[in-house]
Amino acid sequence: MRELKETVAQVSDAKGNIVQAVSEVLEDHGVQEEKREEILRLAQAAIEKALDDSIQMRDWALEALGATIDEKRTSKSYGGQGKKTWWLFPFAFSSANPPETILQLRIAPGSCWAFQGSRGHVVVRLPEPVWPTAFTIWHISEAVSPSGEVSSAPKEFAVSGADEATAETLLGTFTYDVHKEIAQTFHVQKELPRTFRYITLRVHSNWGNPEYTCVYRVQVHGKTIAILIVVVLKGDILDWVLPPKLAAAFGSRPARSQLF
């Protein structure tokens, strides 16, 4: 836990330094004390929100962090397993675009994982157990598509969580809308007081392409056990960052001696 305590100390110091710097700048510019206190309160709230957002929206389905694909439980890639390239105008799909493509940062026409038809699924093994809070699905827009359309984009889909020896738990059913942003975030519809090591994306339909469906990128947002016990300093009071249902599972907030 030493690294965690060091991180907490660094966050505390950084937050205190920022607030102190803002206070000094306001004082140097002759801002009245009453107004200065209000500005400092807003600045402190903004810092806390930024910290919380960075925790909530971290992407755990990233190959660079150690996320992988469970290929045995994932739909077969469109075009087979060999080196042969299948030309599907205007893109070319081959063994160069495996399921792992959805765990990478690159978003460009053709840089996606394709499976046959409009129904398929992919199982992502996260680098560590994660309490999922939201998911983000990416696809290219009509504006950058060489064909001027995106009928291969997933439409209706479901997301589930599981562990090594447990059945899947449905976390929500959603619809990706090609008329909106290329990256669309969907919050879990059923929040459970637990973490998952595997996340399954099941696509039930696409936007009209009868041959194949393309998934460009999948992001899994949430908190790990380590993040669940990281603290955010509010004034001089330590407040544990725990989702409501996890706090209820503990019965009360854990004492510092339990965690450190």
Side-chain angles (χ1 to χ4, degrees):
M1 286 292 185
R2 183 168 59 186
E3 292 183 1
L4 181 58
K5 288 193 286 185
E6 290 176 354
T7 300
V8 171
Q10 291 171 359
V11 171
S12 174
D13 291 343
K15 178 181 173 183
N17 290 339
I18 293 172
V19 173
Q20 180 61 33
V22 172
S23 177
E24 291 175 358
V25 169
L26 294 174
E27 187 173 358
D28 291 343
H29 285 75
V31 177
Q32 295 179 354
E33 183 176 355
E34 183 177 342
K35 187 174 293 185
R36 188 165 67 239
E37 291 179 357
E38 176 64 13
I39 293 175
L40 288 175
R41 185 184 66 79
L42 294 174
Q44 186 170 329
I47 293 170
E48 291 174 359
K49 184 179 187 304
L51 287 171
D52 190 53
D53 287 348
S54 67
I55 290 174
Q56 292 280 4
M57 299 307 291
R58 181 174 298 182
D59 178 19
W60 295 103
L62 198 60
E63 189 174 44
L65 288 180
T68 58
I69 298 294
D70 187 336
E71 295 195 16
K72 292 183 178 180
R73 293 190 286 171
T74 294
S75 295
K76 185 178 179 180
S77 299
Y78 190 77
Q81 300 298 322
K83 298 295 184 181
K84 181 179 179 181
T85 297
W86 295 65
W87 291 91
L88 305 172
F89 183 82
F91 307 129
F93 298 100
S94 71
S95 56
N97 284 351
E100 285 79 8
T101 303
I102 70 173
L103 307 179
Q104 299 166 3
L105 297 175
R106 178 177 169 80
I107 303 294
S111 296
C112 64
W113 171 61
F115 59 83
Q116 187 169 6
S118 60
R119 298 178 67 89
H121 57 277
V122 60
V123 179
V124 178
R125 186 179 189 273
L126 302 174
E128 56 185 294
V130 171
W131 177 307
T133 56
F135 314 97
T136 298
I137 305 297
W138 291 69
H139 199 276
I140 60 170
S141 67
E142 294 179 346
V144 301
S145 173
S147 66
E149 56 90 23
V150 287
S151 62
S152 66
K155 187 176 183 180
E156 297 172 324
F157 65 94
V159 181
S160 301
D163 290 313
E164 298 283 355
T166 61
E168 291 185 359
T169 299
L170 181 65
L171 299 173
T173 56
F174 313 97
T175 300
Y176 180 90
D177 189 343
V178 294
H179 304 296
K180 295 183 178 180
E181 297 82 2
I182 62 172
Q184 297 175 29
T185 299
F186 308 88
H187 294 273
V188 295
Q189 296 171 343
K190 185 177 183 181
E191 185 176 341
L192 300 172
R194 57 166 299 184
T195 60
F196 298 98
R197 191 62 184 268
Y198 293 88
I199 295 294
T200 300
L201 169 71
R202 295 186 181 278
V203 178
H204 298 310
S205 65
N206 64 23
W207 282 86
N209 193 310
E211 296 185 56
Y212 60 92
T213 300
C214 292
V215 181
Y216 274 80
R217 188 179 175 192
V218 174
Q219 294 178 278
V220 177
H221 311 294
K223 301 175 182 178
T224 62
I225 293 299
I227 288 178
L228 288 173
I229 58 176
V230 169
V231 296
V232 173
L233 292 173
K234 296 183 176 180
D236 296 324
I237 301 174
L238 289 172
D239 187 19
W240 301 110
V241 180
L242 293 176
K245 291 191 177 181
L246 183 59
F250 274 112
S252 61
R253 292 183 183 276
R256 294 190 69 191
S257 58
Q258 292 179 260
L259 302 177
F260 300 111

